[in-house]
C-alpha cells in the first residue's frame, strides 16, 4: 500500500489492527539489517508517496518534511538557502528521512553533529491502532514532560510508523579541508583523534582504515598509493567551515605539531578537489571489494576506543588462523568508536555463523554494541542478547506489548 | 532515606512498591519546578550518598559516575586530565548529575554541545518494583534496538530512579573569547546568531538580554554601563577553544563585517578576564533582581526563533498595560530559542495565575514549549496541555502505568 497522507496511514493501520494483520513498513529500502523485507503473510506499507518538504524556516534553521523525502532531496532544497541537514551517508540518494529516524542513522559526520536522533526536533507517528501522535515540535529545547519522540527513534518501526519529521539544520559550509594521515599504530590514531578534537573546532570527520583495507581499496580503484611506504593505519580527516584558507593553515599547523610529536608518520593535504575525491573513494571503496568476497559479512559494531586497537589485533589473528585464505578488512568511523569489518567469502553457512558469533562475542566482552548504526532488524536479532541485558530486552518487549498489543508493526524484528 | 548503593535503592523501592508507599526522589534540590518537594505521606529518597566518580577513560573521553556526584565535582576531577563535561549551569556546585539527567538540564552551552540528553551514553536505573536496569553503555553509537535510556531522561523521576550514568566528555578548552554586542532589533539579533553559527565554529554561547533587563541588571551590580547609548537588545557571545589569539582575530573580523552590514550597532571585546566576568555577571544577575520583585514568576519557555521577537513585544505590551507598576525582564539563550521572563511582584495569587495563563497561552499559540529546560514537576502541571496534545499526555499516562503501575515514583508530578 502506498498511502498519500497521514490520515490514510492511520486508516490502514486501524484496519490491520482490527484484523490482526501484520504490516512490513518500508522506506527507501537501503537498510542493512533486513527489517524491511516482508515476511510471509505481511501487508507491505511504503511511505514513498509521503514525499513533500512542507515548511522551511530559514531564519531559525528548521524544516518539516514528510517521511518519504530522501536525504538528497532535502539537501538539494536547502543548499540554495545556505542551510544543510547534518546527516550524510552513502545511501543519500535513496534513503528516506523517515527511515533515517526509524533506524537512528549515523554516517560520516556523527563526530561533529551526532546521529540522526540529535537532529530530530519532533515526529508525527501513527500508532498501531491508528492513533495519530503529532509531536512536530520546532523548538530546540522542550522539557514539557518526557520527550516521547525518542520512543520511536531507533525502534525500527516496531512501535509506530513515522509519517512526518521536524528537523534541525546547520549552516551550509562553504568549503572543506581534507587530509590523509599515515599512522604507526592504533594508539597513535586514538591520540591524533583526541588532539584533533581539542584543536580543530571545525573537525567533522575522522575515518580510519587499517593497512589491509587501504591497500586493497586503492588497488581496486587502480589508484596510485598516496604514500610510498606502508603504514599501520590511515586516517581521513575532514574539516567543514566557511574560511578555506584559515582552515587549511590551522590544519597544516596542527599536522606539523603531530609530526614533530611522532604521532604522525606522514600526511597528505590534497591540492585539488579531485585529489580529495580520490581519498574519499578509497574510504568508500568497500562496495568495490564486495564482489570478490561474496558471500561476505559486513560487520558494523561499536567498541570503546580504549579496547578497539587490541580487539582488531585479536580478531585479525583469530580470523587469519581459523579462516585462512579469506579477506578480512577493517575500517570505520574512529571518531564515534564505530568499527566496520568486511570479511569473506563464506560459502559455508555454518562457517558464516561461526564468524558472526566470534566477532559479536568479542564485541560483547568489551561492552561494545553489535550494531553501531544499522540496527537489529531480523539479521542481528539472534545476537541482541550480547549487547543488551535480559532486563533491557524484557523492557523492549513490555514497550512493544503496550504500544502494539497485537504485534502488527514489523512483527518479529528486534525482539519477539 | 539515604542509600549508599544501587542495591539499597532497589531494596527500598521493592518495599515501597509492595506497600504502595509513594516516594519523593531528591537530588541536589536545585530544581525549579517543585518536583522534589515531598507531598503528604511520601517517603523521601535522596541520592546524595551515591557520590563517587567510578571510572574515567581519558583516551576516549568517557566517564561513569554515581547519580549524586555534583556537576562541579565532576568538572574539578576532569580539568587536570584535559577533559570537561559540556553541561554548564548556575547551580553547578549543588546540582547532581542524576538530577541533570532526570530533568534533561540545559544551561549556557546548549548551542554547541546540546542538552544533558546529548551527553548521556547510558544510565543505570532502578524501576518502581526494584528491578535494576543497567545500561551503562560507553560507546557513542549503539543501535542495538531502541535506546531505552531516553525513557528516563527528562522523565523527572516518574518512570525510574537514576543511580549511575555513563557520560561523554569534550576536550577542555584552554581559552575563551567573549564579546558583548549591541543590537537595534530582535531581527538583527537573530541574523547575528545565524551568521555567527555560520562563521564561528567555536561558538558556544549566544545569550540575549532585552534593554530593560540589561539596564536594571547593570544597576543592581553597580556596574558602569558598557555602552553609553541604550540599544534594543544585547547579545553576550562566547567562543571556547584552544587558540586564544586565533579566536580573537576571527571574532574581530566577524564583528567588523556585521558592523559594516548594519546588523551590529556596537560591540565590546573585553581586554581582561575581569571585564569578561562583569559581562557574565550582568547575564547572571537575575538572582540580584529577584529580592525586589517577590513574589515573582520566573518563566522558562521555548519559542520558535521566527516568533520570538513579536512575542516579546506583545507580552511586554500586555503586561505593561494590565500589570502596570511591576517589572518585566526578558533575557535568554537565543541560540536555543529559550526565553526567560522574570516578572513581579504579584502579591495577589489570582493575578499571578492570570499572568501565567497569559504567557503560557501565548507560547502555546506559536507552538512553543511551556518548559524549555526546567521541566514540569508540580509547578507547571496545570499548563502541560498547552504544550502537549491529548494523545501525547495519554501516552505519558500509559508509560507511567506500564512502568510504575502503583504510581509510587514522584506521584502526581507531570501527569496524574
Amino acid at each position: 500500500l502506498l498511502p498519500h497522507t497521514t490520515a490514510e496511514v492511520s486508516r490502514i493501520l486501524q484496519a490491520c489492527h482490527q484484523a490482526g494483520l501484520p504490516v512490513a513498513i518500508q522506506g527507501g529500502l537501503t537498510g542493512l539489517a533486513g527489517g524491511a523485507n516482508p515476511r510471509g503473510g505481511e501487508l507491505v506499507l511504503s511511505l514513498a508517496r509521503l514525499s513533500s518538504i512542507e515548511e522551511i524556516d530559514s531564519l531559525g534553521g528548521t524544516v518539516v518534511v514528510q517521511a518519504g523525502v530522501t536525504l538528497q532531496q532535502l539537501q538539494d532544497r536547502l543548499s540554495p538557502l545556505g542551510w544543510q541537514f547534518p546527516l550524510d551517508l552513502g545511501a543519500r540518494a535513496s534513503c528516506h528521512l523517515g527511515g533515517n529516524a526509524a533506524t537512528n542513522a549515523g554516517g560520516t559526520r556523527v563526530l561533529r553533529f551526532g546521529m540522526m536522533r540529535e537532529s530530530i526536533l519532533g515526529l508525527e507517528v501513527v500508532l498501531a491502532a491508528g492513533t495519530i501522535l503529532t509531536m512536530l515540535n520546532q523548538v530546540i529545547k522542550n522539557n514539557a514532560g518526557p520527550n516521547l519522540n525518542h520512543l520511536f527513534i531507533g525502534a525500527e518501526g516496531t512501535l509506530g510508523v513515522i509519517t512526518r519529521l521536524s528537523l534541525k539544520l546547520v549552516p551550509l559550509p562553504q568549503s572543506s579541508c581534507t587530509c590523509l594521515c599515515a599512522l604507526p599504530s592504533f594508539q597513535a590514531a586514538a591520540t591524533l583523534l583526541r588532539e584533533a578534537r581539542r584543536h580543530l573546532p571545525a573537525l567533522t570527520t575522522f575515518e580510519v582504515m587499517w593497512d589491509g583495507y587501504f591497500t586493497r581499496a586503492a588497488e581496486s580503484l587502480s589508484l596510485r598509493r598516496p604514500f610510498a611506504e606502508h603504514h599501520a593505519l590511515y586516517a581521513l580527516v575532514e574539516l567543514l567551515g566557511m574560511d578555506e584558507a584559515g582552515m587549511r593553515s590551522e590544519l597544516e599547523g596542527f599536522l606539523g605539531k603531530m609530526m614533530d610529536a611522532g604521532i604522525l608518520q606522514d600526511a597528505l593535504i590534497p591540492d585539488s578537489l579531485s585529489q580529495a575525491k580520490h581519498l574519499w573513494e578509497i574510504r568508500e571503496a568497500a562496495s568495490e571489494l564486495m564482489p570478490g568476497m561474496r558471500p561476505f559479512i559486513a560487520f558494523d559494531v561499536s567498541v570503546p576506543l580504549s579496547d578497539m586497537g587490541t580487539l582488531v589485533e585479536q580478531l585479525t589473528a583469530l580470523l587469519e588462523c581459523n579462516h585462512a585464505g579469506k579477506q578480512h578488512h577493517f575500517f570505520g568511523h574512529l571518531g564515534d568508536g564505530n568499527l566496520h569489518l568486511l570479511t569473506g567469502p563464506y560459502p559455508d553457512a555454518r562457517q558464516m555463523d561461526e564468524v558472526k558469533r566470534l566477532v559479536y562475542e568479542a564485541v560483547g566482552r568489551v561492552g561494545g554494541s553489535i550494531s553501531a548504526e544499522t540496527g537489529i532488524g531480523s539479521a542481528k536479532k539472534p545476537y541482541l542478547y550480547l549487547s543488551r541485558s535480559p532486563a533491557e530486552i524484557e523492557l523492549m518487549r513490555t514497550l512493544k506489548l503496550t504500544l502494539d498489543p497485537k504485534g502488527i508493526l514489523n512483527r518479529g524484528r528486534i525482539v519477539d
Side-chain angles (χ1 to χ4, degrees), chain A residues 208-266:
Chain A
V208 293
M209 295 162 271
W210 272 258
D211 189 46
Y213 170 83
F214 185 81
T215 302
R216 192 59 79 101
E219 278 168 21
S220 75
L221 296 162
S222 311
L223 288 176
R224 207 158 57 84
R225 289 180 52 81
F227 304 110
E229 313 278 314
H230 282 264
H231 301 270
L233 291 100
Y234 307 84
L236 182 64
V237 177
E238 193 163 86
L239 316 187
L240 291 181
M242 307 304 280
D243 169 15
E244 189 163 354
M247 283 195 298
R248 191 175 170 119
S249 98
E250 208 174 62
L251 184 60
E252 284 170 351
F254 171 74
L255 294 174
K257 271 185 218 147
M258 293 297 105
M259 198 88 86
D260 294 345
I263 293 161
L264 262 187
Q265 287 177 316
D266 207 344

Side-chain angles (χ1 to χ4, degrees), chain A residues 10-21 128-130 406 408:
Chain A
S10 165
R11 284 206 300 278
I12 291 168
L13 291 190
Q14 222 173 327
C16 291
H17 178 74
Q18 271 162 18
L21 180 65
K406 293 187 176 175
I408 64 163

Side-chain angles (χ1 to χ4, degrees), chain A residues 320-343:
Chain A
E320 283 180 354
C321 166
N322 298 329
H323 301 278
K326 303 189 192 315
Q327 296 180 49
H328 317 290
H329 298 309
F330 290 91
F331 55 102
H333 317 296
L334 189 67
D336 324 317
N338 186 173
L339 185 67
H340 291 299
L341 160 61
L342 185 63
T343 175

